[in-house]
Amino acid sequence: MTAQDSATRAGPVAVTGGTLLAIAGVLAFSLTFPATVWGLESFGPWSLVAIRGVLAALIAGGFLLALRVPFPERRHWGAFAVVASGVVLGFPMLTTLALGTSTTAHAAVVVGLLPLSTAAFSALRTGRRPSRTFWGAAFAGAAVVLAFTLQQSGGAVSTGDLYLFGALLVCAAGYTEGGRLARLMPGWHVIGWALVACLPLNLVVSAVALSFEPVRLTAQGVTGLVWVAAGSTFFGLYVWYRGMAAIGVEKASQLQLAQPLLTLVWSVPLLGERPATAAPLAAVAVLLCIAVTQRARA
């Protein structure tokens, strides 16, 4: 019996707990873009992403070693490679490069479309077919987020768009495979081993990048680095994968529809960006879409 079956048999308590874990992951992720902007004050994009991966891997590796977690079985290595390349390497690198030329509002487009992409990847990968109501609400929510974030960026196509759409695809694949693995093992094992697998590469990239990119240490820059490493990468993915294992990849993915709006909220006090007048209406519309997807038969 899989972890998904156990959660289903456990009833509403398990599902509610899974939803709360997924929400905690969304909250952690919503701070990623503002924290990345902070981190870029002190580090170049390649240095920031590589050091972020190194620090997160050291945290994860410490837990894995202390608790004597066994090495993943060979049959799961392919899935771990997808998680590592998409979530640990691809998404952080592509979005960090995008934030070098785009605002947080424009970059939020990628996470606005991520729930729909993750649900689509999951349906193709697992063979499960969510209901029409689910898909209708998912498309509606993605449309609201896309329209809102494009309106905030003036509707212009930035030079970082290719990075953002590439990040969208690799992250959706990583979330799908990670969600499947999290049904077979604890969520923190999934992200932990993925981070450790990328440690050698991140160490090499860190050494090379630091020799070419200038470092200007500031309190904000270091704080941003620490958050994206410990908060977004380790803690956020830990609770996110546990949540996906409990309530399903499709339903968990739709909770991320709120992430772009939360990011914009954080950007006001953290980055000094002006609040959007359309934010309350967009927030209500997105929350309604989330409510429909959570009640729809997946």
Side-chain angles (χ1 to χ4, degrees), residues 185-250:
M185 63 189 73
W188 75 273
H189 289 193
V190 177
I191 186 58
W193 285 120
L195 286 166
V196 170
C198 296
L199 179 58
L201 176 61
N202 277 326
L203 284 171
V204 173
V205 174
S206 295
V208 174
L210 286 172
S211 66
F212 287 97
E213 295 179 336
V215 175
R216 297 176 295 273
L217 294 181
T218 65
Q220 264 192 185
V222 174
T223 300
L225 170 62
V226 171
W227 177 259
V228 293
S232 302
T233 305
F234 182 71
F235 172 77
L237 288 172
Y238 162 61
V239 294
W240 176 245
Y241 281 135
R242 284 198 62 184
M244 281 199 296
I247 65 177
V249 175
E250 294 90 351

Side-chain angles (χ1 to χ4, degrees), residues 58-155:
L58 292 176
I59 296 171
F63 278 103
L64 292 170
L65 183 62
L67 298 177
R68 299 182 180 180
V69 177
F71 197 73
E73 298 178 28
R74 183 181 293 271
R75 62 193 178 97
H76 298 314
W77 287 6
F80 271 105
V82 175
V83 175
S85 60
V87 177
V88 178
L89 297 176
F91 186 80
M93 188 69 256
L94 291 169
T95 53
T96 299
L97 290 172
L99 285 170
T101 57
S102 301
T103 64
T104 54
H106 194 84
V109 171
V110 70
V111 289
L113 297 177
L114 185 56
L116 179 60
S117 299
T118 303
F121 264 91
S122 178
L124 292 173
R125 184 69 176 85
T126 64
R128 296 193 327 207
R129 296 295 181 265
S131 66
R132 292 181 179 179
T133 301
F134 177 94
W135 282 117
F139 275 107
V144 169
V145 171
L146 181 60
F148 177 69
T149 52
L150 285 178
Q151 185 268 334
Q152 292 306 296
S153 60

Side-chain angles (χ1 to χ4, degrees), residues 32 43 67 73 141 154 174 197 239 252 256 271 286 290:
T32 301
F43 303 93
L67 298 177
E73 298 178 28
V239 294
Q256 277 197 306
L271 303 178
V286 167
I290 292 174

